[in-house]
Amino acid sequence: KHNGFFQAAGRYHGGYINLYKKWGVVPQLDRDILWPLVIQLSYLTGLNPNSLMDLKIDCLSEHPLTGTPELRYFKLRSQGGMELMVDLLNDGSEEPGENEAEDELKEAELPLKRQQALLVQRCIDKILQLTMPLRKRRDVSPNLKELLFIYESSGNNCHGEIQSAPVWKLNQWCREIAEKHDLRSSNGEKLQLALVRFRPTLLTEMAASGKDFFEIQHAAGHKSIKTTLAYIEKRTLDAVAEREVTSALKKIWENRDEFTL
């Protein structure tokens, strides 16, 4: 009877896992369960996919001096620790280097404003609750247990294996989800879903809303303001950049006049 069930599930329903899901039962924490939480946390924080997948289970904490909730993560090509203000993104990449093998992961901190911190906390708590049974398994390596995003594979070649999600796999999932659910843009075109676009979109919105360039630089984690200016200019926001720079120079000039007087 068991063999008959599995054969029928595979023949008529695309496998027993899909059949269970049709019944509203979650047989395992696979990518379909984890993926909406990946998207939600990416949207809330604006982290690029590399930093997102490297988050640890203890990534959310409080700053020892201010008590401000902060998200600790690792950023490619960073020159040491940083603090990125996510509250600036509410009104939160550098492009990878030519030689990605030389890129290094450095720890950074992302302070969160109260409302966003609450949403981030709920998302992370949900992820930890769902993945807790996986972390208790003896066949899971210590390195995997420390990662926030882990799941149980439903693939034919590695069924039941606990895995993390590399960036190339995230891109593949994005394409599959957009195709499966026929996601479309406001003008009816097929949507090109990509996690890497969340961060540039947030930074672009900051510039369009008139945020100070130094705030955008701080949020983006750019070492130089020139990198931020080039980043925004590359995304056709020259008019916004010119307006902000002109406004900043005007203020500097006015302050100079006051000092002279």
Side-chain angles (χ1 to χ4, degrees), residues 215-242:
E215 293 179 343
I216 302 175
Q217 176 194 4
H218 193 57
H222 294 156
K223 183 178 179 181
S224 171
I225 189 66
K226 293 181 179 180
T227 305
T228 307
L229 290 171
Y231 190 94
I232 294 176
E233 182 180 2
K234 187 177 179 180
R235 285 154 179 80
T236 66
L237 283 176
D238 305 54
V240 178
E242 182 178 357

Side-chain angles (χ1 to χ4, degrees), residues 110-175:
L110 188 61
L112 306 171
K113 78 181 301 185
R114 177 174 174 77
Q115 181 180 8
Q116 189 177 16
L118 181 61
L119 295 175
V120 171
Q121 179 71 69
R122 288 177 179 175
C123 185
I124 291 178
D125 286 345
K126 188 178 296 183
I127 296 168
L128 292 175
Q129 182 181 10
L130 287 171
T131 58
M132 184 183 301
L134 304 184
R135 302 180 197 282
K136 291 182 177 180
R137 285 175 41 169
R138 295 184 177 180
D139 59 338
V140 181
S141 67
N143 291 336
L144 275 179
K145 288 182 179 181
E146 292 181 0
L147 291 177
L148 179 64
F149 288 111
I150 59 174
Y151 69 100
E152 189 175 7
S153 175
S154 56
N156 295 328
N157 298 328
C158 50
H159 186 84
E161 182 179 322
I162 308 302
Q163 299 180 345
S164 61
V167 174
W168 68 265
K169 188 172 290 188
L170 299 183
N171 296 331
Q172 175 184 325
W173 291 358
C174 282
R175 291 192 297 269

Side-chain angles (χ1 to χ4, degrees), residues 17-257:
I17 292 181
N18 288 333
L19 179 58
Y20 280 140
K21 288 180 179 178
K22 290 180 181 179
W23 292 343
V25 179
V26 181
Q28 63 183 114
L29 180 65
D30 61 5
R31 66 177 190 176
D32 291 337
I33 305 300
L34 183 67
W35 189 241
L37 298 171
V38 174
I39 294 179
Q40 183 181 19
L41 199 58
S42 176
Y43 169 76
L44 289 172
T45 63
L47 293 179
N48 60 53
N50 285 295
S51 298
L52 196 68
M53 289 299 101
D54 285 326
L55 287 177
K56 308 296 184 183
I57 57 177
D58 59 349
C59 59
L60 194 64
S61 62
E62 288 189 356
H63 192 281
L65 296 179
T66 64
T68 304
E70 61 183 11
L71 189 67
R72 288 176 292 135
Y73 70 101
F74 289 89
K75 184 178 185 295
L76 284 171
R77 303 173 64 227
S78 169
Q79 301 298 321
M82 298 178 302
E83 288 188 355
L84 306 182
M85 302 299 295
V86 175
D87 58 336
L88 300 176
L89 303 177
N90 282 347
D91 251 309
S93 65
E94 292 184 26
E95 303 296 338
E98 294 181 359
N99 186 2
E100 295 188 359
E102 296 179 357
D103 289 344
E104 295 181 355
L105 287 173
K106 299 294 183 179
E107 189 172 7
E109 296 176 350
L110 188 61
L112 306 171
K113 78 181 301 185
R114 177 174 174 77
Q115 181 180 8
Q116 189 177 16
L118 181 61
L119 295 175
V120 171
Q121 179 71 69
R122 288 177 179 175
C123 185
I124 291 178
D125 286 345
K126 188 178 296 183
I127 296 168
L128 292 175
Q129 182 181 10
L130 287 171
T131 58
M132 184 183 301
L134 304 184
R135 302 180 197 282
K136 291 182 177 180
R137 285 175 41 169
R138 295 184 177 180
D139 59 338
V140 181
S141 67
N143 291 336
L144 275 179
K145 288 182 179 181
E146 292 181 0
L147 291 177
L148 179 64
F149 288 111
I150 59 174
Y151 69 100
E152 189 175 7
S153 175
S154 56
N156 295 328
N157 298 328
C158 50
H159 186 84
E161 182 179 322
I162 308 302
Q163 299 180 345
S164 61
V167 174
W168 68 265
K169 188 172 290 188
L170 299 183
N171 296 331
Q172 175 184 325
W173 291 358
C174 282
R175 291 192 297 269
E176 292 178 0
I177 287 177
E179 186 69 24
K180 177 180 179 181
H181 298 284
D182 193 24
L183 301 181
R184 296 183 178 273
S185 62
S186 56
N187 57 9
E189 297 180 354
K190 287 189 175 182
L191 186 65
Q192 300 296 323
L193 180 62
L195 286 186
V196 73
R197 296 302 309 162
F198 279 106
R199 184 171 180 80
T201 298
L202 288 173
L203 298 178
T204 299
E205 290 178 351
M206 287 180 65
S209 63
K211 284 290 185 180
D212 184 270
F213 267 111
F214 291 102
E215 293 179 343
I216 302 175
Q217 176 194 4
H218 193 57
H222 294 156
K223 183 178 179 181
S224 171
I225 189 66
K226 293 181 179 180
T227 305
T228 307
L229 290 171
Y231 190 94
I232 294 176
E233 182 180 2
K234 187 177 179 180
R235 285 154 179 80
T236 66
L237 283 176
D238 305 54
V240 178
E242 182 178 357
R243 184 190 69 196
E244 289 302 306
V245 172
T246 301
S247 176
L249 291 176
K250 183 179 179 181
K251 290 181 180 179
I252 292 174
W253 185 259
E254 290 174 351
N255 291 338
R256 176 184 178 279
D257 289 342

